[in-house]
Amino acid sequence: MLSGRGYGDEAIAADLASRGVDGESARAAIAALPPERERAASLAARLGPGAKTAALLLRRGFDPDAVEAAVGSDVAPGGS
């Protein structure tokens, strides 16, 4: 499962869509996971805070708000 391998909701939704899972079923599957912010925080605690961790989380489909909360800095595109 992608969530157990450190992927965010966006990546999981894209993977499910590529496998032919309808949107409603994908949303239900994602809703059954631990909250994205908790998953991002767990990864950040393991990897350490900082820009590299933030970039990894973003590449893995985590929402920028979840990444920001996990690493403690502004990670939005164009942010400081």
Side-chain angles (χ1 to χ4, degrees):
M1 176 176 262
L2 288 178
S3 69
R5 294 185 5 225
Y7 286 85
D9 291 353
E10 184 178 324
I12 295 167
D15 180 67
L16 292 172
S18 75
R19 296 171 187 266
V21 176
D22 66 88
E24 184 177 329
S25 296
R27 284 188 293 280
I30 291 169
L33 298 173
E36 186 177 46
R37 281 183 178 233
E38 288 179 16
R39 298 191 327 264
S42 176
L43 278 169
R46 197 171 71 220
L47 300 172
K52 287 184 179 183
T53 297
L56 173 72
L57 294 173
L58 290 170
R59 284 192 309 272
R60 288 191 171 186
F62 283 91
D63 181 83
D65 289 338
V67 175
E68 186 175 324
V71 299
S73 63
D74 184 10
V75 296
S80 52

